[in-house]
Amino acid sequence: MKKTGLSKTTRSNFITYGIVIVLAAIMYILQLTGILSSSMQGFLVPMCIYVIMAVSLNLVVGILGELSLGHAGFMCVGAYTSAIFSKCMESTLTFAPLRFGIAILIGAACAAIFGMLIGIPVLRLKGDYLAIVTLAFGEIIKNICNVINLGLDSEGFHLSLKNSTELGLAEDGMIIIKGAQGISGTPKDSNFLIGVVLVLVTLFVVLNLINSRDGRAIMSIRDNRIAAESIGINITKYKLMVFTISAAFAGVAGALYSHNFATLTATGDKFNYNASIMILVYVVLGGIGNIRGSVIATIILYILPEKLRFLSDYRMLVYAIVLIIVMLYNWSPKMKEYRAIAKAKIKERFGRKKEEKAV
Amino acid sequence: MTNMLEVSNLSISFGGLKAVNDFSMTIKKGQLYGLIGPNGAGKTTVFNLLTGVYKADKGKIILDGKSLLGLNTIEINKAGIARTFQNIRLFKELSVIDNVKVGLHNHHKYSTLEGVLRLPRFFKVEKEMQERAMDLLRVMGLDGEANVIAANLPYGKQRKLEIARALATNPKLLLLDEPAAGMNPNETEELMETIRFVRDRFDMTILLIEHDMRLVGGICEEITVLNFGQVLTQGVTSEVLNDPQVITAYLGE
Amino acid sequence: MSFLNYLINGLSLGSVYAIIALGYTMVYGIAKMLNFAHGDIIMVGAYIIFNCMNGLGMPPLVAILAAMALCTVLGIVIEKVAYRPLRNASSSLAVLITAIGVSYLLQNVALLIFGADTKSFSSVVSLEAIKLFDGQLTITGEAIVTIVVCIVIMVGLTLFVNKTKAGQAMQAVSEDKGAAQLMGINVNGTIALTFAIGSALAAVAGALMCSAYPNLTPYSGTMPGIKAFVAAVFGGIGSIPGAMVGGLVIGVIEILGKAYISSQLADAIVFAILVVVLLVKPTGLLGKNIQEKV
C-alpha cells in the first residue's frame, strides 16, 4: 500500500470533523428529548462561538507563532457590524437565513479589515511587543464601541460620540447603537445548527490551510524566520494572511454572538483582553498548534464549570494553576529532557515485556 | 567557461569597524569554490552580503550576468542563490519532507483558495511536490527519514537536510556555511562525496566556507583567503594553501 | 487654572506609572520577558498595606515596609518557580503565557482571600493639601508625595545600577547572559535581584496609587500594570530615564484626555499612542536597537 503524508492528515482532519458532528448530534438529541437543562441549552451557541474563537486564535498562536491578546476585539467588530446590518435590514429583508448569512459575511469582512490593519504593525514587531499591541488594539476597539451612538432615519445614518439625543434623529428614526448600552433588539437569528455548521466551516478552512503549501510556509516562519526568508518565503504576505483570516473567523463568531442575545454591549468582560486571555487559555490547554485540541479543550472548559457548580468559585484559580503547570510541563527544557528519559524507560520496559512474550 | 558570480569591491562596516573591505571574487559556472580564513575574518558576513541579509556600503554583486544590488533576501533567493547556515536553521517542528517542500514553495504553486477548497490543482501540484521532495531526499540519503520531525534528526543529517532544502529552491549558486562543522572524519568524508555529487548531478556552482582544511583541499578547485575582512590571497587551491602568508594568518606570527 | 490642576494630577498619576514601569523595564532589560503579573503585584502590595493598617493597626510606613518585604519574596518565588524553568525555552511565547497564568493566579487568590468587594483604601499620606491662588489650584498631599517618591526612586536606582557592583552585574547580564556567566557573575542571582527590586517598587506603587484612587479590588492592578508597560515601551524598554519619561507622559495624556476629550476614550488614546510609537520608533524614545544575529 502506498502511504503518502497527505492521506494521513486528511484522515486526521476527518476525525476532527467527526468529533464535532457526533458531539453536536448528541447535544441535539439531548435537547430534543428534553434531558438537557435549560441553562445548558443556553450554552450551546456560546460553545460554538468559543470553539470558533479558539480555533482561529490557534492559527495565530500555534501555527504562525505570534501571540495575539486582542482576539475578542475582532469578535466585537464582527458582533457590532453584523448586528447593525441586521437591524437596518430587519424590515426589508425578512428571510432570516439569507439576512443572517449576509450579516455573518459582513461581520467577517469588517473584522478581517481590522485584522489586516493590525497586521501592519505585526510586520515590524515580534513577541511581547506584538502581544501588547494586539491587546491595545482590542481595548481601543472595545472603548470606541462603548461611546458610539448611531441612528438611522429617512436622511440616512447619524453618528455621535456623546449621546443618543445628539443624533438629531427625525420622527421615523431608529437608534441602532446607544452608547454603552449598545445594540438591543437584534433579530435572534443564531441557533445551534448554524453554530455547528460555522464551526465545521472554520475547521475546514483552518485545517486545509494548515495542510497546504501556504500552511507549510506559515509554519516555516514560526520555526525559523531567517531560514524561511533565505528560501524565498514572503513573510509579510503570510503574516498578514494569518491575521486577516483569523480575524475574519473571530468576526463570524461575533456575528453568531450578537444574533444570539437580546442586547449587545461592549462593557464588562465580554470583549476586553480578559476575554481574549480566556480564549488563549482554551488554546494553550488544548495544545498550542493542535486544532483538534482547541475544539475539545473549549468544549470541556465550557461545560465543566457548569456541571461542577461547587467548583465555579475556584474555576479561574484552577485554570490559572493548570495553565502554568501545562506551560512548564510542555515548554521547560528540563522537563522536555525528563520526559524524553521517561519515554525511553517506558519503551525499554515495554519492549522487554514484548520480548519476554515472544520467548 | 562563463562566470556565475562576480563580486567586486564589496564593503560593509559596523559602527566604524570594516567587517568586509574591498572584497572581490569571481566564481566560474560549475565551480566548487572555497572561502576560508581565521575566525572573525568576515566569511559569514560575505554570505550575509551575498544573500541580502546585510546591505553593502559599496561594491557590486553580479549573479549570472544579473546585478543583485538592492535586492532583499527573498528576491535574491528567487534570482538563484540558496544557502545553509553555520548554526543550523531548520524548521524544527516540521517533518523532514515538509522542510524540503517549503523550499519548493516558489516553484510549485497553487492559490490559497485552491488549497483550502482542495481543488484538483491542489492534488496535482502536491503530488509533484511529494515526488520532487523525495528525489531530493534520496540524493541526500534522507529518504528513509522523510516523515521524521526535523528536530529529531541526528546532527549530521540535519546539515544534509539544510542542503536538500536549499537545493529545493533550484538555485544557480549554493552557499554552504561550514557544512562539516561538528562532523567526525567519516561523516566529513561522506559529506565531501555528497557535495561533489550535488555539483555533478545538478550542474551546481558551490561556494563554501570551511575550517576543515582536508575538506577544502579535497574538493575545492579554487579558494579565497579572507583575513581581517580583506582578501589575503586567492587562486588555485593547492597553491594558495602552500602560500606562507596563509599559514601565518592561520597560525599567527 | 483647571489645566494646571489636571497637569499636576497627570504628573502624580504618571509618577505611579513610572514606578511600575521601572519594574517592567528592569525585568524586560535583564530577563527579556514581559512580566505580565507585575501589575498584580501592585494589587497584592496594596491589599497587604490595607490589611496591615486597617486590620493590624500598623502605622502607614511600617505597613508599606511589610508590603515591600512580602512582595519582594513573592517576586522572587514567582521568578524561581514559574519563569526560571522557561528561560531557555525554544519559544518566547512560553514564558509570556506563563506570566499571564501567574497574573490570573494572583488575581484569583486575592479574590478568595480578600473577596470581590471593593475595599476603600485609606491614604498612607498625612500631608495637607496645598492651596494656591485663593484655592483655585489644589495640590494634594498624595500628589506631592508621589512625585517626590518617584524622583527619589529614580535617582536612587540610577545610582544603584551605575555605581554598585550588583547594579553593574545587572547591566552585564542584560547585555549578554552567557558572557556575564563566564565573567563569574551569578546570573540567576542577578535576575532574582531584579525581580526583587521590581516587586518592592510595585508595593510602593500600590500604596501611592491606592492613596490617590482608593478603590481596591483584585483587579485593581491590571490596567495600571498594562498602562505602565505602555509607558515603559514608550520610553524605551530597558531604560530607567525612559521609564520615568514614559510614565509621566502617559499619566499626563490620560488625565488630560479624560478632562478634555472623553473619559471613556482616555484608555483608547493611551493605547493608540503606544501603537503609533511602536510603528514610528519600535525601540521607544530612549531605547536602543538590537539586531538579530544571523
Side-chain angles (χ1 to χ4, degrees), chain A residues 47 76 103 179 224 245 273:
Chain A
M47 208 169 352
C76 185
N224 203 311
I245 292 176
Y273 64 90

Side-chain angles (χ1 to χ4, degrees), chain A residues 65-143:
Chain A
E66 295 285 5
L67 190 54
S68 165
L69 296 178
H71 208 51
F74 300 128
M75 182 174 160
C76 185
V77 171
Y80 267 75
T81 50
S82 62
I84 292 169
F85 171 80
S86 291
K87 274 204 72 147
C88 293
M89 300 302 283
E90 200 176 0
S91 47
T92 20
L93 193 65
T94 45
F95 183 52
L98 178 64
R99 186 181 61 218
F100 189 37
I102 299 174
I104 290 170
L105 289 179
I106 287 177
C110 293
I113 292 169
F114 274 81
M116 210 188 280
L117 281 178
I118 293 177
I120 295 167
V122 165
L123 304 173
R124 299 188 53 171
L125 303 171
K126 287 187 294 197
D128 305 339
Y129 280 67
L130 175 64
I132 211 81
V133 165
T134 53
L135 187 155
F137 260 111
E139 292 296 301
I140 292 172
I141 291 171
K142 188 201 81 177
N143 276 325

Side-chain angles (χ1 to χ4, degrees), chain C residues 20-54:
Chain C
I20 308 169
L22 276 178
Y24 276 116
T25 219
M26 286 172 59
V27 165
Y28 200 101
I30 287 170
K32 301 283 178 287
M33 68 162 288
L34 166 52
N35 181 12
F36 223 87
H38 190 63
D40 301 290
I41 294 181
I42 303 168
M43 172 273 296
V44 172
Y47 267 110
I48 294 170
I49 295 169
F50 176 81
N51 282 301
C52 284
M53 281 168 64
N54 293 31

